[in-house]
Amino acid sequence: MTESTLQGRTRIPVAQPVFAGNEARYVADCVESGWVSSNGPYIAKFEQAFASWCGVRHALTCANGTAALHLLLMAHGVGPGDQVLVPSLTYIATANAVRYCGAEPVLVDSEPRTWNIDPAALEACIGPRTKGIIVVHLYGHSADMDPIMAIAREHGLFVVEDAAEAHGASYKGRKVGTLGDSASFSFFGNKVMTTGEGGMVVTNDSALADRVRLLKGQGMDPHRRYWFPVVGYNYRMTNIQAALGLAQLERIDALLQARRDVAAGYQRGLAGLADRLELHNESSWAHHIYWMFNVLLRDGDAHDRDALMAKLDSDGIETRPVFYPMHCMPPYQDDSGRYPVADRVGSRGLSLPTHAALTEADVAYICERLAHHLATRP
Ligand SMILES: *Cc1c(COP(=O)(O)O)cnc(C)c1O
């Protein structure tokens, strides 16, 4: 928590990591042993533990979630001239990773209920240059994977799951990360679990995993040290980061439960505002892990949303706007009007504080302030 105090209350940050397990001990172990770079025992331990928790054959650490996406796209063979379908409503890294390959991200609108890529809109965007799809499980709620996988298989497209925000989320009882051909996770400081900066690639495809391993380690031949048959990258994670990650993963159930509890508190506290707020709720087939608990103004525009955020800020409550859709960003500008759902969510949505250090009293206070501001809104 930040130190500044408002009316006797500590400011409530929108996100915050919680280190309540072996984090400090494992990190100290790296320093004491001298294994601080990308060799060292915690890398393999973290990869094995993550693979088994996720239920996949291969998990490969990397520098961050963006690098994980870039590695996967390269490993799936994406290059100049190719197109990859991505939701417009996502974090910029999803689209940027496609550009890093010299390929073109083709933006697709979302469905109103889950805010995730709309399977109906998806098929219309497929053309002769389409190579694959990146599905994002936005804010911890899985996309509707069955129709997406059916479309992908019919057209011979690969599916990468961008699960940066969805550790532990599931779809029809199956964990995200196991639903497409491959998946990426992020361990940035505001994600469900963190390594400071960090990412993970997961897949059941051994050949794909081998390509990722080659590319993330400068392209060094696995059987001949210091021999480089291809141009690779330095996208490795350090042993220190993996130490942090292993300790976080040991407590993942508690971290996830804390978020579910926060979400339940919001659902109770905001139930009376249903005429004013739409909640980003869980579909019947999903297990939502609430990376961020989001609300949408039923009436109003981005100006009203921003004004509400400013009022909450003066109450000591930090919030975030829901992602600005990619078609609004200068590098991906598209004024075609093909994204009504992304536009609506992007302009009216805000993310409330969601993390494992929030107390019931914090959540009740946030709900009370929200109710107050919405009641006094003209
Ligand atoms: C955080 C995030 C990423 C990128 O992860 P980094 O570790 O910050 O590089 C990618 N996609 C989505 C949807 C994210 O939220």
Side-chain angles (χ1 to χ4, degrees), residues 63-67 69 90-91 93-94 136 138 162 164-165 185-188 190-191 197-199 291 323:
N64 53 62
T66 311
L69 281 170
T90 182
Y91 180 60
T94 318
V136 182
L138 204 67
D162 180 347
E165 307 175 356
F185 289 86
S186 165
F187 307 119
F188 185 65
N190 68 5
K191 299 287 159 86
E197 295 274 2
W291 172 56
F323 294 124

Side-chain angles (χ1 to χ4, degrees), residues 55-328:
V56 290
R57 295 244 292 279
H58 308 281
L60 299 163
T61 51
C62 53
N64 53 62
T66 311
L69 281 170
H70 186 199
L71 287 166
L72 277 175
L73 292 176
M74 289 189 288
H76 279 292
V78 174
D82 293 335
Q83 292 182 335
V84 178
L85 307 184
V86 303
S88 185
L89 189 66
T90 182
Y91 180 60
I92 189 97
T94 318
N96 282 349
V98 179
R99 275 282 172 87
Y100 298 165
C101 299
E104 182 193 344
V106 173
L107 306 178
V108 182
D109 200 16
S110 292
E111 49 178 351
R113 186 157 165 79
T114 68
W115 303 3
N116 285 314
I117 198 162
D118 183 350
L122 192 71
E123 193 148 31
C125 296
I126 296 172
R129 290 159 59 207
T130 311
K131 258 291 203 3
I133 306 167
I134 306 180
V135 171
V136 182
H137 305 301
L138 204 67
Y139 293 115
H141 191 293
S142 83
D144 191 4
M145 291 302 290
D146 283 347
I148 295 169
M149 293 309 294
I151 294 166
R153 292 298 170 252
E154 188 189 327
H155 295 271
L157 308 176
F158 68 77
V159 175
V160 169
E161 296 173 72
D162 180 347
E165 307 175 356
H167 319 62
S170 60
Y171 174 73
K172 299 184 179 174
R174 289 141 65 209
K175 266 212 176 99
V176 305
T178 65
L179 306 165
D181 297 302
S182 62
S184 62
F185 289 86
S186 165
F187 307 119
F188 185 65
N190 68 5
K191 299 287 159 86
V192 170
M193 54 176 282
T194 186
T195 62
E197 295 274 2
M200 193 78 85
V201 161
V202 303
T203 184
N204 285 321
D205 180 337
S206 300
L208 192 78
D210 285 344
R211 287 199 291 283
V212 168
R213 200 176 288 111
L214 183 75
L215 289 166
K216 80 167 201 175
Q218 299 281 30
M220 187 160 81
D221 190 324
H223 307 295
R224 191 174 172 195
R225 285 184 78 210
Y226 295 99
W227 183 256
F228 300 93
V230 297
V231 175
Y233 296 76
N234 180 355
Y235 274 172
R236 296 180 299 251
M237 177 183 273
T238 68
N239 196 48
I240 302 176
Q241 291 167 299
L244 207 51
L246 182 66
Q248 289 268 281
L249 189 60
E250 287 170 353
R251 295 194 64 257
I252 189 71
D253 291 342
L255 292 172
L256 290 170
Q257 187 56 49
R259 275 173 198 276
R260 293 281 295 185
D261 292 346
V262 166
Y266 280 130
Q267 276 151 352
R268 277 193 305 273
L270 301 176
L273 297 174
D275 58 330
R276 286 291 174 103
L277 291 180
E278 192 179 311
L279 310 184
H280 183 222
N281 278 328
E282 185 175 58
S283 298
S284 56
W285 39 258
H287 178 79
H288 193 341
I289 54 104
Y290 297 101
W291 172 56
M292 287 277 153
F293 191 89
N294 296 292
V295 298
L296 210 62
L297 292 177
R298 285 200 191 276
D299 311 304
D301 54 19
H303 178 79
D304 300 305
R305 188 266 314 275
D306 294 348
L308 178 60
M309 288 177 58
K311 286 179 187 165
L312 291 168
D313 188 66
S314 61
D315 293 330
I317 301 163
E318 187 195 2
T319 57
R320 287 174 32 163
V322 158
F323 294 124
Y324 299 104
M326 290 310 102
H327 68 269
C328 303

